[in-house]
Amino acid sequence: GVVAAAAGAYAATRSDGVGNAARNIGAATAETAKGLKRFDDEHKVVDKTKNAIVGTTNAAMQFERENSISGKVQTIATGAAQKAKEVNDQYDITGKTKAAAVGTYQTAKAIDEKYKVKENVGKGLVAGLNKLAEVMDPKKGQSGQGPAGGAPPGSRV
């Protein structure tokens, strides 16, 4: 702000086109400010806006005092939380959900131990990727055949 004001003041002292432009901008800014002040003096825009904000705020505060909306919302939220706790206490929803999650994990672990699912999937994935690499790069395969056992790429059958 201070640097810009100093630069503007310096520019206005110059006698060239920069000085003329700075003086014209300054004059236009001053005239705009005077025009806005006259308009506000005539129409009281600032006072009306301030009064509207104060009036709206006061009305909202009065409505809250008369109707206790925030208190009602708090009461409803507290009641809902209490009801949820009662339902959980009655039906042990969190306990059953936890038990189901533990049971599911244990079953998945037992299936993996018995059938080596992770190991076999990993081996299959590696074998598939190796085969794909072989097909994509015939030099590595050195089988003399192209994809799916056909003729080598680029040959005529």
Side-chain angles (χ1 to χ4, degrees), residues 1-24:
V2 174
V3 174
Y10 167 73
T13 64
R14 294 177 50 161
S15 60
D16 58 3
V18 172
N20 287 337
R23 285 187 293 280
N24 288 337

